[in-house]
Amino acid sequence: MDISPLSTTAPTAKPAAPNRAAEKAGQEFEALMVGQMLESMFAGVDTGSAFGGGQGERTWRSFMLQEYGKAIAEAGTLGIGRMVEADVARLYGQTSEGTKG
């Protein structure tokens, strides 16, 4: 009777897609959260004349703050995305492989 050892490449190949999906979900969540925090911070700041001010600046400020949120999330300095990524990966692992203990 020949019993060959289990291949180590098969188990590591499957989690690659969920890890990328979890990483993306974490980064998008962090970008959204940071963008919302920045909007709260800038809510009381009056649009000054340094960047034109007026209705145009009020209109486009939310887009600018969303992009700031994306840039901060891409840098990964806050670590919120990594925490969400770990939870998403853990939950995905539980649901895709049945119930783990």
Side-chain angles (χ1 to χ4, degrees), residues 34-48:
V34 171
Q36 291 296 315
M37 289 187 336
L38 289 172
E39 284 192 35
S40 295
M41 285 175 43
F42 279 81
V45 177
D46 191 26
T47 55

Side-chain angles (χ1 to χ4, degrees), residues 2-100:
D2 187 354
I3 300 175
S4 61
L6 295 175
S7 174
T8 58
T9 58
T12 56
K14 286 184 181 180
N19 287 341
R20 277 195 303 255
E23 180 181 357
K24 182 179 178 186
Q27 189 174 17
E28 287 177 358
F29 178 80
E30 183 173 358
L32 178 69
M33 186 175 149
V34 171
Q36 291 296 315
M37 289 187 336
L38 289 172
E39 284 192 35
S40 295
M41 285 175 43
F42 279 81
V45 177
D46 191 26
T47 55
S49 61
F51 295 107
Q55 183 62 32
E57 187 172 342
R58 282 191 295 274
T59 302
W60 294 100
R61 181 183 278 182
S62 66
F63 293 107
M64 177 187 71
L65 296 176
Q66 287 174 5
E67 291 302 314
Y68 284 167
K70 288 178 187 177
I72 292 169
E74 285 176 11
T77 55
L78 296 179
I80 298 168
R82 286 189 301 272
M83 289 187 284
V84 171
E85 176 186 347
D87 281 345
V88 167
R90 180 180 53 83
L91 291 172
Y92 182 82
Q94 286 179 349
T95 58
S96 68
E97 298 174 9
T99 51
K100 285 176 126 178

